[in-house]
Amino acid sequence: MNKILIRVDISDKIGGGHLMRMIGLGQLLADHGCEVHIASAFYKPNFIEPLLDSSFYLHLFDKSSEFQVESDLSELLALAKKLEPEWIILDGYHFSVRYEKAISLGGFKCMRVDDLPVQRCEADVFLNHNHGAELFKHDLADHTIKLTGLKHLLIRRQFRHLDISTKRNATTGKIRLLVSLGGGSKVTDVLNLKIAKALSQIKSTFEKATIVVGKMGNISEKLLEASRKSEFPVTIIQYSENIAEMMFDSDVAITAGGYSMWELLYTGTPFIALSLNKSQDEYIRYLAQDGICGTIGSHDNVSHGHIREALLSFVNDEAKINTIKKKVGLLMDRENNGQSLINILIKKKKNYFCNSKI
């Protein structure tokens, strides 16, 4: 049985999107007969463990300070020597080129997953599944296989099992709205309250709405009070194990600029996005200009009135929403999702190891 070792972290400074996409990759590999091992720093084990697939093996490194990843390099190499994995996969901005090189010098094949062209990559495989990544100027070694764009989206099993062809088309007054801003934080708590207030001022547009505050979010009395003032039902929940079905059953969503954007697009659910930081703000503006989504603005300068107007403008623009759906359908490859990686990591097809750039 092929063994795959995935190195990924999650903490207050490291977003949960890294873990979500590595869970998706791990599930894809497990479905093709691999034994999947997850190695993570000892930041939030109580958050990580419940999210992992039951077949995964979790290895926690006891590390005192974040972003000093060379300090656990010896632990990773010792673990790899014990497991003898076919591949070691890194996901995170904080893994350096030195970290990458040490894996290769240790005799292991290495794959890096990243979002931005912020540092050189010398791994055997580089993957950036974000929209537009094909145009990014990634600094790659000549031997590195490049996989970019939504056709290589790392998506969890529950999403891959959806039948997108059965997605319904809603009309005004019957629109089901989903609000999901990620795992939860003080910033998203404030935004969720503003969104609930915005919804309380909207009539005859939505059938219902659900606000998912996230595992680390807070369901405050103010949030519940604002939701009760709405003309249509607004449900507040902490988290859902069936988030894929929730996204699929929704007609429109409000989300932040993270991994949830790609989950929503995969389910055929158009979204309007709020940015939680400068990088997200720039990228969401790019996505909106390229016809992938709508944008509300940055978290630090939006009011509930601004959210209301942006949301109504988006849901009432039927032509725009239909254009988004068609474009996303062309960008994704749902029927062959993950096949390129399977060909490389498991089947070892020779045509992928000829300095190919995909």
Side-chain angles (χ1 to χ4, degrees):
M1 178 183 290
N2 289 345
K3 294 181 181 178
I4 306 292
L5 177 56
I6 297 173
R7 178 71 180 88
V8 63
D9 292 325
I10 182 171
S11 73
D12 293 334
K13 295 180 181 179
I14 305 169
H18 300 281
L19 179 63
M20 292 296 101
R21 65 192 181 195
M22 286 300 97
I23 290 174
L25 176 57
Q27 289 174 339
L28 176 69
L29 293 167
D31 290 346
H32 284 80
C34 291
E35 182 178 294
V36 177
H37 294 258
I38 304 286
S40 181
F42 198 82
Y43 297 148
K44 290 184 176 293
N46 294 334
F47 186 85
I48 292 175
E49 290 174 344
L51 295 174
L52 297 183
D53 195 87
S54 60
S55 65
F56 294 174
Y57 296 86
L58 177 62
H59 308 269
L60 292 173
F61 298 151
D62 187 7
K63 187 152 65 71
S64 58
S65 69
E66 301 175 24
F67 298 107
Q68 295 181 4
V69 293
E70 276 76 5
S71 65
D72 67 51
L73 180 56
S74 60
E75 290 184 79
L76 179 74
L77 292 175
L79 178 61
K81 186 176 180 180
K82 177 181 177 181
L83 295 175
E84 297 184 345
E86 289 286 325
W87 287 85
I88 296 177
I89 299 171
L90 305 177
D91 189 342
Y93 311 124
H94 54 305
F95 296 116
S96 66
V97 177
R98 177 180 176 275
Y99 201 95
E100 207 174 73
K101 285 183 176 180
I103 291 171
S104 298
L105 290 172
F108 303 101
K109 292 193 288 292
C110 181
M111 171 178 160
R112 172 183 283 278
V113 180
D114 214 336
D115 293 313
L116 299 170
V118 294
Q119 64 177 319
R120 181 170 174 78
C121 173
E122 298 198 9
D124 299 283
V125 177
F126 172 84
L127 186 147
N128 182 340
H129 70 187
N130 295 320
H131 174 64
E134 304 92 328
L135 305 177
F136 294 172
K137 294 182 179 179
H138 296 289
D139 184 8
L140 307 179
D142 289 340
H143 68 272
T144 303
I145 299 170
K146 178 183 175 184
L147 304 175
T148 52
L150 291 174
K151 61 181 178 291
H152 300 294
L153 184 62
L154 300 175
I155 202 76
R156 289 179 285 167
R157 184 186 292 122
Q158 57 180 300
F159 289 88
R160 287 191 281 113
H161 287 175
L162 293 172
D163 183 359
I164 305 300
S165 66
T166 63
K167 180 84 173 182
R168 75 164 199 162
N169 291 314
T171 57
T172 300
K174 299 293 184 180
I175 297 173
R176 294 174 293 196
L177 174 69
L178 176 67
V179 179
S180 180
L181 303 181
S185 66
K186 291 181 179 178
V187 171
T188 58
D189 286 343
V190 172
L191 289 173
N192 284 327
L193 179 57
K194 289 181 179 180
I195 291 169
K197 288 180 178 179
L199 296 179
S200 70
Q201 298 177 354
I202 295 176
K203 299 180 179 180
S204 305
T205 301
F206 298 101
E207 177 182 299
K208 63 178 182 178
T210 302
I211 299 176
V212 184
V213 301
K215 281 196 169 185
M216 294 179 285
N218 179 42
I219 301 179
S220 66
E221 185 54 42
K222 287 184 178 180
L223 179 61
L224 293 172
E225 182 182 351
S227 69
R228 288 192 287 264
K229 293 180 179 179
S230 178
E231 185 181 82
F232 50 88
V234 177
T235 303
I236 312 292
I237 65 172
Q238 193 84 42
Y239 174 78
S240 172
E241 296 289 346
N242 300 316
I243 190 65
E245 288 77 10
M246 288 185 66
M247 288 183 176
F248 181 72
D249 289 337
S250 300
D251 306 299
V252 175
I254 300 176
T255 193
Y259 181 70
S260 293
M261 294 193 302
W262 312 135
E263 293 178 330
L264 286 162
L265 289 184
Y266 193 88
T267 64
T269 305
F271 65 83
I272 185 168
L274 276 158
S275 57
L276 304 182
N277 54 55
K278 183 179 179 180
S279 294
Q280 284 190 6
D281 190 51
E282 292 174 354
Y283 188 54
I284 289 170
R285 289 178 187 275
Y286 161 71
L287 293 179
Q289 289 172 0
D290 204 34
I292 296 297
C293 67
T295 178
I296 297 176
S298 179
H299 73 94
D300 54 0
N301 61 11
V302 296
S303 65
H304 68 271
H306 183 81
I307 293 171
R308 181 190 68 242
E309 295 306 314
L311 179 59
L312 286 174
S313 176
F314 183 70
V315 298
N316 289 327
D317 192 341
E318 186 176 345
K320 181 176 182 177
I321 288 178
N322 287 335
T323 299
I324 288 173
K325 289 179 179 179
K326 289 178 182 178
K327 182 164 187 174
V328 170
L330 294 172
L331 290 169
M332 294 218 177
D333 188 5
R334 295 185 180 100
E335 291 186 5
N336 300 299
N337 180 256
Q339 191 58 50
S340 295
L341 273 178
I342 295 303
N343 288 339
I344 295 170
L345 302 182
I346 300 177
K347 296 183 179 180
K348 306 181 183 70
K349 289 194 174 181
K350 292 182 180 179
N351 62 308
Y352 283 96
F353 292 92
C354 300
N355 294 326
S356 59
K357 305 294 180 183
I358 301 173

